């Protein structure tokens, strides 16, 4: 039998007392009476009355997670005004009243109706009062009390994460901090050891350890190498009750990764390598790859390759492939099998990011020997120079040799070579070459002023192996000779004013020369010998390749002489000296007082003042246009097309006859008569062509009669031949259509075309026997009445 000890505290506030139940205590009853204390004042002798405080509340305590068979008893409310007759009613309000905490309204007993969880709520504030059932009035003022929930160890520690991830550099020292894990316990930390957590390591020893109080994980072994093991899984336990037996615990997993450091130097897997290369390999050709192994990763494994020494350091190079960390050996210069057959290289592999902490482990580099053998190939000819520059005078004669190119076979066989010019670079075929010795000569004359440079390509080919060929550019510069005379730089429109004074400058002339002398141009100007002393003008050489035209007298008259021709000789100073004569036309013009030209022609003196030269030109153009129009109109009128003589319907070329009934025949049209096609007995008459006008210069050609011809096909062929041979036929085609049905028809011909030459009557009674489709035709031709109609 389960026993309970009760501690009943009787609190008087006139009428109330409360019974508080606390487990594991003796059952005692203490009554606290309300008493009146009387004191006499020392000052005035008055009597003072003080009422003792009626309520002496203590906190009530309940255990959480109560699992007993009965409800947990909390306490009892009672007032001395309760006579036990059931007139009073006890009421409980506040946190959980009515749901968690229930009260017997008759006796005032309070019970916990449900299991309580301190982690959900640890403190409940309640209020109690007693009410008279009859009047509904409170017999006591409302009183407040607190119920606290005592904690039990019912929550295990929980880590903030289910899984932790951490990393630490390899080769770290002992005690290096890795990560801190944290676990929390929901139990009351102020009550017992339920929330005191202690950490321990369950898995991960002997590599790591954990601080039992802080949860900091540290390394436990020195010099852990990532290359040996990279991943570690550590299991940490957190246990409450200070780690004592019976405490609750929780675990978490920590995945620890060792990160790489550069603690390993690169190493070649073999000490020497062998490669080969054809001598024709161009620079930059890869020959092979070598690789040094480095167990580190990332930038710690990056390697730089270089050639430290060897007799092939100038002929070969090595570059680093950043993706594969391999060294690629390439050709640096052109190889020559005839010169050297074997090269030796010392290749070095070095870490690009060494770690100073591990330099004592040794040099972070390695070397290997690379041997490269050169293979012989059939090489094309090689010219003695990379390009040729040839200078030739522009007056060189055709066939003269202007230069030579030289090439030879670099192979040991020394095959013979022939030379040729690439005609795509010499389309005009100005140059040619002797195929045996490579001498270039001229095939056409040169002209420096037209083309000062020629760029051609010469091809050298092995005679025994035409596939082996090479080409070289040849630049030919044409040297200038003085073969062009200087001439005026522009066309000068020179004028002199009528009121000009003697010694007045009227024009400055200059000269140009297509030649380019090495010392530059120098021109001299003077009048021709016939006009060495010109009465009107003089030429003054300005010594700067220009000359001034000066007047030699005062006043000029347009009415007497409107234009002067001044021939001037221009010399150059190159060898041989070239000269030319240029004639300067000087017009006499009327000028204003400032020397500005107003008019120059002599006819302007006779014209009205308002008619300018432009107006005269416009009038002249209008007259010319009118004359051209008249000539064109006359020519068109003469060449107007003549109309044909026959424009009626009888023209067989464009005649269309329409028949709108089932019968009829020649009575319906007079278009043309082709009876002669049916009657070979009819005599042909020579008729004029109706589509052209007959010409009198040609004799009218008569065709031979066709008495004996009864075949229409032969007739048509003969007509065709006659028209082809007829010189009077028009120069265009003429279409003639002959409606010939053919020979030997079973029903014979129904046409009446032969009626013109046959006078006998025909019998058409047989048409009545052909059926209803020929009824109308039988009515028209079948009887005498029809004939009379």
């Amino acid at each position: 039998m389960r026993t309970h000890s009760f501690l009943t505290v009787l609190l008087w506030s006139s009428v109330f007392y409360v019974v508080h139940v606390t487990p594991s205590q003796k059952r005692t009853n203490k009554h606290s009476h309300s008493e009146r204390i009387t004191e006499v004042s020392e000052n005035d002798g008055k009597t003072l009355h003080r009422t003792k405080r009626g309520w002496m509340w203590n906190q009530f305590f309940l255990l959480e997670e109560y699992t007993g068979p009965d409800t947990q008893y909390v306490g009892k409310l009672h007032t001395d005004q309760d006579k036990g007759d059931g007139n009073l009613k006890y009421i409980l309000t506040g946190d959980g009243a009515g749901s968690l905490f229930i009260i017997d309204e008759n006796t005032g007993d309070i019970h916990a109706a449900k299991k309580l969880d301190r982690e959900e709520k640890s403190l409940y504030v309640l209020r109690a009062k007693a009410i008279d059932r009859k009047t509904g009035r409170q017999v006591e003022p409302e009183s407040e009390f607190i119920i606290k929930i005592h904690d039990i160890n019912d929550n295990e520690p929980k880590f903030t994460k289910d899984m932790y991830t951490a990393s630490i550099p390899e080769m770290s020292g002992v005690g290096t901090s890795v990560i801190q894990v944290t676990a929390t316990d929901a139990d009351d930390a102020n009550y017992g050891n339920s929330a005191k957590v202690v950490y321990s390591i369950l898995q991960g020893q002997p590599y790591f350890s954990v601080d039992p109080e802080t949860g900091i994980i540290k390394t436990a072994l020195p010099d852990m190498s990532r290359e040996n093991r990279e991943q570690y899984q550590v299991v940490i336990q957190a246990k409450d009750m200070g780690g004592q037996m019976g405490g609750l615990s929780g675990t978490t997993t920590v995945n620890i990764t060792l990160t790489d450091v550069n603690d390993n130097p690169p190493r070649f897997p073999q000490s020497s390598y062998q490669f080969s290369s054809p001598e024709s390999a161009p620079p930059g050709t890869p020959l092979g790859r070598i690789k040094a192994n480095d167990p580190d990763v990332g930038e710690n494994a990056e390697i730089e390759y270089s050639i430290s020494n060897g007799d092939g350091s100038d002929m070969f190079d090595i570059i680093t492939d950043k993706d594969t960390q391999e060294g690629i050996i390439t050709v640096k210069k052109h190889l020559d099998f005839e010169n050297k057959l074997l090269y030796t290289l010392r290749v070095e592999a070095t870490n690009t990011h060494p770690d100073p902490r591990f330099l004592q482990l040794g040099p972070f580099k390695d070397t290997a020997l690379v041997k490269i053998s050169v293979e012989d190939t059939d090489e094309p000819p090689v010219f003695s120079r990379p390009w040729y520059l040839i200078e030739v005078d522009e007056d060189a004669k055709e066939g003269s040799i202007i230069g030579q190119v030289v090439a030879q076979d670099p192979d040991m066989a020394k095959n013979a070579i022939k030379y040729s010019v690439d005609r795509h670079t010499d389309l005009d075929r100005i140059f040619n070459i002797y195929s045996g010795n490579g001498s270039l000569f001229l095939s056409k004359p040169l002209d420096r002023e037209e083309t000062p440079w020629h760029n051609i390509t010469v091809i050298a080919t092995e005679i025994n192996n035409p596939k082996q060929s090479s080409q070289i550019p040849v630049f030919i510069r044409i040297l200038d000779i003085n073969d062009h005379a200087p001439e005026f730089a522009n066309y000068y429109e020179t004028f002199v004013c009528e009121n000009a004074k003697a010694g007045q400058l009227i024009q400055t002339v200059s000269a140009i020369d297509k030649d380019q002398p090495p010392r530059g141009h120098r021109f001299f100007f003077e009048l021709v010998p016939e006009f060495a002393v010109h009465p009107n003008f003089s030429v003054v050489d300005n010594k700067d390749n220009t000359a001034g035209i000066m007047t030699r007298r005062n006043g000029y008259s347009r009415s007497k002489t409107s234009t002067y021709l001044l021939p001037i000789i221009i010399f150059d100073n190159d060898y041989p000296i070239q000269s030319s004569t240029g004639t300067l036309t000087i017009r006499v013009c009327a000028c204003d007082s400032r020397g500005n030209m107003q008019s120059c022609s002599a006819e302007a003196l006779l014209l009205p003042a308002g008619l300018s030269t432009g107006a005269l030109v416009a009038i002249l153009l209008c007259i010319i246009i009118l004359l051209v129009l008249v000539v064109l109109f006359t020519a068109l009128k003469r060449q107007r097309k003549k109309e044909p003589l026959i424009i009626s319907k009888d023209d067989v070329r464009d005649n269309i006859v329409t028949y709108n009934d089932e019968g009829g025949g020649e009575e319906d049209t007079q278009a043309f008569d082709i009876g002669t096609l049916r009657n070979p007995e009819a005599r042909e008459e020579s008729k004029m062509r109706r589509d052209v006008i007959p010409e009198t210069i040609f004799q009218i050609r008569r065709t031979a009669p066709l008495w004996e011809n009864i075949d229409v096909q032969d007739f048509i062929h003969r007509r065709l031949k006659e028209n082809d041979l007829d010189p009077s036929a028009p120069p265009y085609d003429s279409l003639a259509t002959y409606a010939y049905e053919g020979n030997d028809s079973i029903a014979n011909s129904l046409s009446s075309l032969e009626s013109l030459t046959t006078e006998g009557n025909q019998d058409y009674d047989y048409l009545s026997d052909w059926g209803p489709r020929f009824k109308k035709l039988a009515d028209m031709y079948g009887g005498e009445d029809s004939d009379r109609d």
Side-chain angles (χ1 to χ4, degrees):
M1 179 177 178
R2 186 176 181 178
T3 60
H4 294 275
S5 297
F6 295 95
L7 175 61
T8 303
V9 181
L10 193 64
L11 303 175
W12 290 93
S13 175
S14 301
V15 294
F16 267 130
Y17 70 90
V18 176
V19 179
H20 177 66
V21 179
T22 302
S24 303
Q25 291 186 4
K26 270 189 171 185
R27 190 176 192 183
T28 60
N29 292 330
K30 293 184 180 180
H31 301 276
S32 179
H33 298 275
S34 177
E35 59 185 63
R36 177 171 294 183
I37 300 175
T38 302
E39 295 181 1
V40 178
S41 174
E42 296 178 358
N43 296 327
D44 52 8
K46 294 181 179 181
T47 301
L48 301 178
H49 301 277
R50 178 171 63 86
T51 302
K52 186 178 179 181
R53 186 174 59 183
W55 298 108
M56 295 294 292
W57 291 103
N58 291 325
Q59 294 181 352
F60 297 157
F61 295 94
L62 291 178
L63 289 177
E64 67 169 336
E65 305 293 343
Y66 176 73
T67 58
D70 302 325
T71 58
Q72 192 173 6
Y73 185 74
V74 179
K76 182 180 181 66
L77 295 178
H78 186 74
T79 177
D80 55 1
Q81 295 186 16
D82 187 359
K83 305 302 182 181
D85 53 5
N87 290 331
L88 294 182
K89 178 182 179 181
Y90 294 96
I91 297 175
L92 186 65
T93 60
D95 296 339
S99 58
L100 296 179
F101 303 101
I102 57 176
I103 187 171
D104 189 334
E105 61 182 14
N106 294 321
T107 63
D109 292 330
I110 302 174
H111 292 81
K114 296 182 180 180
K115 182 170 59 175
L116 301 178
D117 188 354
R118 189 200 67 84
E119 285 72 33
E120 292 182 1
K121 191 173 179 67
S122 62
L123 182 69
Y124 296 89
V125 179
L126 298 172
R127 291 175 295 276
K129 59 185 176 180
I131 298 176
D132 192 335
R133 293 180 184 271
K134 295 180 180 181
T135 62
R137 298 177 59 187
Q138 294 186 14
V139 297
E140 285 293 337
E142 185 178 68
S143 181
E144 183 179 282
F145 61 95
I146 297 173
I147 299 177
K148 276 192 172 184
I149 309 303
H150 270 172
D151 182 45
I152 65 173
N153 189 19
D154 58 343
N155 292 279
E156 71 276 5
K158 293 185 178 180
F159 285 93
T160 56
K161 295 181 181 179
D162 294 336
M163 181 176 292
Y164 290 85
T165 302
S167 62
I168 184 174
E170 63 173 333
M171 308 299 289
S172 297
V174 176
T176 303
S177 177
V178 179
I179 191 174
Q180 183 178 15
V181 296
T182 304
T184 58
D185 196 319
D187 294 327
D188 190 358
N190 298 321
Y191 185 78
N193 294 327
S194 298
K196 186 176 181 181
V197 178
V198 174
Y199 300 95
S200 62
I201 184 168
L202 300 182
Q203 177 182 326
Q205 294 175 333
Y207 307 102
F208 299 95
S209 63
V210 64
D211 189 298
E213 295 183 358
T214 62
I216 297 176
I217 301 174
K218 301 179 180 179
T219 57
L221 287 180
D223 301 332
M224 287 189 293
S225 175
R226 184 200 63 83
E227 290 74 28
N228 296 331
R229 183 177 177 182
E230 184 177 3
Q231 298 288 339
Y232 294 87
Q233 191 174 72
V234 179
V235 179
I236 302 297
Q237 182 190 65
K239 190 174 184 180
D240 59 12
M241 298 296 293
Q244 298 178 3
M245 185 178 296
L248 302 179
S249 65
T251 61
T252 187
T253 301
V254 182
N255 292 322
I256 301 175
T257 302
L258 295 184
T259 59
D260 186 58
V261 297
N262 194 2
D263 58 339
N264 293 282
R267 290 288 181 264
F268 283 105
Q270 57 193 71
S271 59
S272 63
Y273 297 85
Q274 182 75 33
F275 298 101
S276 62
S277 172
E279 63 174 337
S280 59
T285 302
L287 302 181
R289 292 171 176 255
I290 60 175
K291 183 177 182 179
N293 298 324
D294 191 331
D296 296 324
V297 294
E299 68 175 14
N300 296 321
E302 292 182 1
I303 301 174
E304 186 70 28
Y305 296 90
S306 61
I307 298 176
S308 58
N309 54 41
D311 57 1
S313 59
D314 294 336
M315 304 301 295
F316 301 94
D317 198 1
I318 186 168
I319 58 177
T320 303
D321 189 337
K322 298 298 183 181
D323 296 329
T324 62
Q325 297 301 316
E326 293 177 316
I328 305 174
I329 299 177
T330 61
V331 178
K332 187 176 182 180
K333 294 181 180 180
H334 287 285
L335 304 176
D336 189 358
F337 172 81
E338 290 73 22
N339 186 26
K340 191 174 180 61
L341 304 180
L342 182 65
Y343 293 91
T344 303
L345 305 175
R346 178 69 64 175
V347 176
E348 183 178 273
T350 308
N351 274 140
T352 57
H353 301 87
D355 193 333
R357 296 176 299 172
F358 305 103
L359 293 179
Q360 72 277 3
L361 299 178
F364 280 76
K365 61 183 179 180
D366 194 16
T367 59
L369 187 65
V370 178
K371 296 180 180 180
I372 303 175
S373 58
V374 181
E375 299 175 350
D376 187 23
T377 59
D378 189 4
E379 298 177 275
V382 177
F383 285 92
S384 60
R385 301 179 187 176
W387 49 270
Y388 290 86
L389 174 62
I390 299 176
E391 295 182 343
V392 57
D393 294 331
E394 66 174 321
D395 60 347
K397 303 300 180 181
E398 296 181 19
S400 59
I401 296 176
I402 61 174
Q404 185 182 19
V405 296
V406 178
Q408 62 179 358
D409 184 10
D411 299 323
M412 299 180 66
K414 301 299 179 182
N415 293 323
I417 296 173
K418 65 177 181 178
Y419 301 89
S420 62
V421 176
D422 186 357
R423 290 305 171 189
H424 294 90
T425 60
D426 184 26
L427 298 177
D428 296 332
R429 295 182 175 270
I430 300 176
F431 304 96
N432 211 333
I433 192 170
Y434 290 109
S435 61
N437 58 11
S439 298
L440 287 165
F441 62 92
L442 292 178
S443 298
K444 292 182 180 180
L446 302 174
D447 187 356
R448 190 206 63 83
E449 287 71 30
E450 180 180 352
T451 306
W453 284 88
H454 294 271
N455 301 326
I456 65 173
T457 300
V458 174
I459 302 174
T461 307
E462 291 185 10
I463 296 178
N464 296 335
N465 186 8
K467 294 182 179 180
Q468 295 296 335
S469 63
S470 58
Q471 56 186 17
I472 197 74
V474 179
F475 307 105
I476 302 174
R477 179 183 179 186
I478 310 303
L479 300 178
D480 184 43
I481 62 170
N482 195 23
D483 58 345
H484 290 83
E487 57 187 14
F488 281 129
N490 299 296
Y491 173 76
Y492 297 100
E493 295 183 355
T494 307
F495 69 92
V496 61
C497 295
E498 289 183 306
N499 56 357
K501 304 298 183 182
Q504 182 177 341
L505 176 66
I506 62 173
Q507 182 69 60
T508 300
V509 296
S510 61
I512 57 173
D513 194 338
K514 295 181 179 180
D515 297 321
Q516 290 185 350
R519 296 185 300 275
H521 291 292
R522 178 69 177 92
F523 302 122
F524 304 94
F525 302 86
E526 63 181 35
L527 291 174
V528 296
E530 293 81 0
F531 298 95
V533 181
H534 198 280
N536 298 308
F537 304 97
S538 63
V539 176
V540 178
D541 195 334
N542 296 326
K543 307 301 183 182
D544 59 355
N545 294 337
T546 63
I549 310 302
M550 313 293 292
T551 59
R552 298 195 63 184
R553 64 185 180 87
N554 295 326
Y556 297 84
S557 176
R558 281 187 295 167
S559 59
K560 293 181 179 180
T561 304
S562 61
T563 302
Y564 293 93
L565 299 179
L566 187 63
I568 301 175
I569 301 177
I570 308 174
F571 301 90
D572 59 18
N573 67 334
D574 204 358
Y575 179 83
I577 296 176
Q578 299 287 343
S579 65
S580 66
T581 301
T583 300
L584 191 65
T585 302
I586 304 174
R587 295 182 299 166
V588 180
C589 301
C591 304
D592 57 13
S593 59
R594 296 182 179 179
N596 297 321
M597 180 183 66
Q598 292 183 338
S599 63
C600 294
S601 62
E603 290 78 3
L605 299 174
L606 305 176
L607 293 176
L611 194 59
S612 63
T613 303
L616 292 175
V617 174
I619 293 173
L620 181 60
L621 289 176
C622 291
I623 294 173
I624 293 173
I625 291 172
L626 289 175
L627 290 175
V628 171
L629 291 176
V630 171
V631 172
L632 290 176
F633 180 77
T634 304
L636 291 175
K637 187 175 181 181
R638 289 183 177 179
Q639 296 182 3
R640 184 174 58 184
K641 183 177 181 182
K642 298 178 182 180
E643 298 181 354
L645 296 177
I646 301 173
I647 59 175
S648 65
K649 297 180 180 178
D650 297 334
D651 190 352
V652 299
R653 292 173 299 171
D654 55 3
N655 183 31
I656 300 176
V657 181
T658 303
Y659 299 93
N660 294 323
D661 54 13
E662 298 180 358
E666 69 273 8
E667 296 176 357
D668 297 333
T669 179
Q670 296 296 331
F672 57 90
D673 180 13
I674 61 172
T676 55
L677 296 177
R678 292 299 181 186
N679 187 9
E681 301 296 332
R683 187 178 183 85
E684 292 190 346
E685 297 179 359
S686 297
K687 298 179 181 180
M688 302 294 290
R689 294 182 63 96
R690 295 185 293 173
D691 53 353
V692 296
I693 299 176
E695 298 289 343
T696 56
I697 60 175
F698 294 105
Q699 295 293 333
I700 296 176
R701 186 174 180 272
R702 298 185 181 273
T703 58
L706 300 176
W707 297 97
E708 70 287 354
N709 190 0
I710 60 174
D711 188 357
V712 177
Q713 184 176 4
D714 293 339
F715 169 76
I716 292 175
H717 284 303
R718 186 156 184 179
R719 283 295 191 190
L720 178 61
K721 184 176 181 181
E722 290 174 357
N723 281 278
D724 289 340
L725 299 176
D726 188 1
S728 63
Y732 54 85
D733 294 336
S734 177
L735 176 64
T737 303
Y738 301 95
Y740 174 57
E741 298 180 357
N743 297 326
D744 299 331
S745 175
I746 298 176
N748 294 325
S749 177
L750 297 179
S751 175
S752 59
L753 295 177
E754 297 179 357
S755 60
L756 295 178
T757 58
T758 305
E759 297 179 356
N761 294 328
Q762 299 185 18
D763 183 9
Y764 296 102
D765 293 337
Y766 62 86
L767 294 176
S768 301
D769 300 332
W770 286 10
R773 292 187 178 181
F774 295 91
K775 185 177 183 301
K776 176 137 180 100
L777 190 61
D779 293 342
M780 294 176 62
Y781 292 93
E784 295 178 357
D785 294 338
S786 178
D787 294 337
R788 285 194 296 265
D789 293 338

